[in-house]
Amino acid sequence: MKAHNENLLEIHDLSVSFRMYDSALEQKELQVISDLHLTVRPGEIVAVAGSSGSGKSLLASAILGILPSNATVKGHLHYKDGELTAETQAKLRGSEIALVPQSVAFLDPLMKVGKQADGHKKPYPTEKRRGIFKRFGLPEKTETLYPFQLSGGMARRVLVSTALITEAQLIIADEPTPGMSLEQAKEALSMFREMANEGKSIILITHDIDLAFDFADRIAVFYAGTTVEIAPAEDFRKGPEALRHPYSKALWRALPQNEFKPIDGFQPYAGSLPTGCLFAPRCPHATDECRSKTPPVREIRGGEVRCFHAT
Amino acid sequence: MLLEAKNISFRYDKKSPLVLENQSFSVKSGEVVGLFAPSGYGKSTLAMVMAGYLRPESGQVLLDGAPLPEKGICPVQLIYQHPEKAINPRWKLRRVLEESGKLRQDVLASFGIEQEWLDRYPRELSGGELQRFCVARALMSGADFLICDEISTMLDVITQAQIWNKILAEAKERNMGIVAVTHNLNLAKRICTRVYDLAKGEEVEI
């Protein structure tokens, strides 16, 4: 993968806001993603980690062009050689770009899962799909069941299968592993790894960051709708000293196998974002500069970080 | 207090195979018991049976030797894997919380639940935010036992540590018993006093 320099997907200065009714007929804009950047190279797994509600799933919807109609997207989205427009998105999604949705409720409740995993393109990839089901340890009869007859972990494995079957260049997997056992989660991620080794690209949105440390190439950390750090996965394996942003370090420390200690405070709500650095209110190193200006993206030790004080 | 599941068998309908077959399991006040098993093994089903959501085909769930009360707030509260399915979508969140009793500001504060969220509908909040409401609701009910079914898999690790530290502190203070269904071995090592493997039918070392 290192041979390629060109990016498959390039996102910069992305912002997403929703037009909402405040009171009576007053409308207001709620900015949920701001100044977000991310690049994905061919053959690479980029994990996206970060707090719940930091805009990870919205990013997936923005790339695919499936945000609701009250959303406004600004910024640059490049895929291969061209700008991603509503038209190209409509053409690419489901064929070149595939999504593993976050909720198991995305399965069609009235369709047997084998048939829906096969998709609508003929010839149906039934043999390939059976192979994937088998690798996931799904019993043979699973294909004849309806979604409500599956456990949470089984439904999740069916969802992941739907993306693994496609010929997509880019797979966006939105939290593919909750409810799976550790072995199943590892199996799912090693299947993604194999696809990446064949030259495909994967955006892995996940809270299982300790698994991402082992399977991803790079990890992007989101906070309150922006990218605070992008670092090689290796740095996360090494620990907080190798990381750049205080929030990434806090994530590492909160893992149960590390210190299991949360930092104080909560992510700001989209309607009441602070000025300056979005992490400043919870940051032990925050200065007046942090509280007044948005830190630019800087390159430090082979990673990118949005922090004035990172070294 | 002692919460027991005794010889529980359960199937979802008469024609389907047994999901749980003669399972027994118990938890005492002050314990945090991890419940392990491969996916599809009936962990969530057992959780629902123990909290009185499902009636077993045979066997009993006993709290200090007596069946769970059928009226009032159940002393065994289940916190569910999917918060969006555990909250009435047509109720504002204040009503969701008040269903379990008087609002406790200390609980709201420790989960970062802002006052303005109370006037929102569930669909306006993220999954992680909703899960904090579900945990707060269970704690404010004054339950003696909590059954936590994969409650933090959809949360970031900082929120996970926040929620679990709060639950453990409250459990210690009020001598509650806790069952934690999880796939996360590292989390189990952190929070559990012992771990029971449903597939093996015995306690396991972690």
Side-chain angles (χ1 to χ4, degrees):
Chain A
M1 62 147 274
K2 301 285 189 290
H4 298 268
N5 279 324
E6 276 177 33
N7 292 322
L8 179 74
L9 180 74
E10 227 182 283
I11 297 167
H12 45 99
D13 300 321
L14 181 75
S15 72
V16 176
S17 56
F18 287 100
R19 199 173 54 251
M20 291 176 70
Y21 280 98
D22 197 359
S23 55
L25 294 172
E26 294 270 311
Q27 286 192 349
K28 67 170 179 183
E29 289 280 324
L30 197 62
Q31 178 132 343
V32 285
I33 286 183
S34 40
D35 306 321
L36 185 129
H37 69 283
L38 187 73
T39 54
V40 185
R41 302 172 195 134
E44 186 181 48
I45 300 182
V46 178
V48 174
S51 47
S52 323
S54 64
K56 302 190 295 294
S57 301
L58 286 174
L59 170 70
S61 300
I63 295 170
L64 291 160
I66 52 172
L67 286 165
S69 58
N70 64 335
T72 315
V73 181
K74 285 182 199 143
H76 301 280
L77 286 158
H78 275 273
Y79 179 78
K80 287 186 176 166
D81 302 321
E83 191 87 11
L84 266 183
T85 60
E87 280 161 21
T88 50
Q89 282 168 329
K91 211 166 68 194
L92 294 173
R93 65 178 172 242
S95 54
E96 277 222 26
I97 307 179
L99 173 73
V100 180
Q102 182 179 19
S103 172
V104 293
F106 276 74
L107 289 169
D108 182 341
L110 298 178
M111 197 171 176
K112 290 179 178 169
V113 297
K115 200 173 166 213
Q116 59 179 304
D118 282 348
H120 55 85
K121 284 210 186 87
K122 288 180 186 167
Y124 295 126
T126 306
E127 281 315 304
K128 187 175 174 189
R129 191 257 302 152
R130 285 193 176 134
I132 294 172
F133 273 23
K134 203 171 166 197
R135 269 190 77 175
F136 265 140
L138 290 166
E140 253 174 58
K141 67 166 181 31
T142 308
E143 63 181 44
T144 64
L145 300 178
Y146 290 95
F148 76 91
Q149 295 169 298
L150 307 180
S151 79
M154 291 168 84
R156 191 71 67 181
R157 283 176 274 161
V158 170
L159 270 182
V160 175
S161 307
T162 60
L164 292 171
I165 290 161
T166 63
E167 297 296 318
Q169 270 304 307
L170 175 65
I171 294 176
I172 305 172
D174 192 356
E175 308 226 15
T177 51
M180 290 191 195
S181 70
L182 185 62
E183 293 71 35
Q184 290 159 358
K186 283 184 173 168
E187 186 63 37
L189 294 182
S190 45
M191 284 195 250
F192 284 134
R193 187 69 257 172
E194 283 166 30
M195 295 185 85
N197 293 348
E198 288 164 15
K200 297 182 174 179
S201 304
I202 288 114
I203 298 177
L204 175 68
I205 298 171
T206 185
H207 287 308
D208 290 328
I209 53 174
D210 44 348
L211 288 178
F213 297 171
D214 291 330
F215 286 92
D217 297 294
R218 290 187 300 144
I219 296 179
V221 179
F222 284 13
Y223 185 78
T226 196
T227 317
V228 292
E229 176 165 356
I230 302 178
E234 201 190 329
D235 291 356
F236 282 85
R237 292 197 290 271
K238 285 185 197 150
E241 305 77 38
L243 297 171
R244 295 154 195 82
H245 198 280
Y247 181 68
S248 321
K249 296 179 194 210
L251 274 182
W252 192 93
R253 292 206 177 93
L255 277 169
Q257 59 267 48
N258 299 331
E259 295 164 28
F260 203 47
K261 283 218 183 73
I263 46 167
D264 286 340
F266 301 93
Q267 175 177 258
Y269 183 62
S272 51
L273 292 181
T275 52
C277 173
L278 298 177
F279 187 65
R282 298 172 79 182
C283 182
H285 313 295
T287 57
D288 288 343
E289 186 181 29
C290 306
R291 284 183 277 267
S292 56
K293 277 194 293 189
T294 304
V297 179
R298 296 191 296 147
E299 287 208 14
I300 294 176
R301 290 183 281 119
E304 292 163 60
V305 63
R306 203 179 260 287
C307 172
F308 289 117
H309 305 293
T311 47
Chain B
M1 293 179 99
L2 177 69
L3 175 65
E4 292 171 284
K6 265 188 161 171
N7 311 108
I8 302 286
S9 293
F10 181 86
R11 65 179 103 209
Y12 279 94
D13 67 63
K14 287 204 177 68
K15 278 182 248 157
S16 64
L18 285 170
V19 181
L20 297 170
E21 200 175 341
N22 204 24
Q23 289 283 359
S24 296
F25 174 74
S26 68
V27 51
K28 287 200 284 279
S29 296
E31 279 190 315
V32 181
V33 187
L35 193 58
F36 261 59
S39 120
Y41 222 90
K43 295 187 297 296
S44 297
T45 306
L46 182 60
M48 288 199 272
V49 169
M50 288 184 81
Y53 281 62
L54 296 173
R55 215 178 277 270
E57 185 171 281
S58 61
Q60 283 176 299
V61 176
L62 301 172
L63 184 61
D64 279 345
L68 294 178
E70 302 215 337
K71 280 187 181 166
I73 291 176
C74 185
V76 182
Q77 284 290 319
L78 175 70
I79 307 174
Y80 201 52
Q81 190 175 353
H82 308 286
E84 68 279 10
K85 294 189 197 168
I87 283 181
N88 186 337
R90 301 179 70 133
W91 282 8
K92 285 188 178 172
L93 287 154
R94 180 184 306 280
R95 190 166 169 201
V96 169
L97 286 180
E98 282 176 344
E99 196 188 14
S100 77
K102 209 170 167 326
L103 295 188
R104 276 174 50 193
Q105 292 304 327
D106 66 308
V107 174
L108 299 188
S110 63
F111 287 126
I113 294 175
E114 297 182 27
Q115 291 299 320
E116 67 170 294
W117 292 2
L118 297 176
D119 297 312
R120 288 175 191 272
Y121 285 100
R123 60 163 192 274
E124 297 175 70
L125 296 177
S126 76
E129 287 159 354
L130 287 181
Q131 189 64 307
R132 294 193 229 154
F133 278 91
C134 292
V135 178
R137 177 173 63 177
L139 289 181
M140 290 192 293
S141 73
D144 299 304
F145 287 91
L146 286 187
I147 303 192
C148 304
D149 186 4
E150 296 265 20
I151 61 167
S152 55
T153 45
M154 78 302 290
L155 303 175
D156 65 85
V157 293
I158 292 176
T159 310
Q160 165 173 279
Q162 270 171 342
I163 285 187
W164 272 112
N165 283 320
K166 176 68 188 170
I167 292 176
L168 295 178
E170 179 99 4
K172 200 170 169 195
E173 198 183 306
R174 294 205 280 123
N175 199 29
M176 299 161 76
I178 292 177
V179 178
V181 179
T182 179
H183 284 299
N184 188 334
L185 215 62
N186 292 309
L187 180 66
K189 277 184 196 162
R190 266 291 168 185
I191 60 172
C192 297
T193 47
R194 61 186 173 96
V195 170
Y196 183 83
D197 190 322
L198 202 56
K200 296 191 183 126
E202 60 185 24
E203 237 171 82
V204 286
E205 284 291 318
I206 49 165

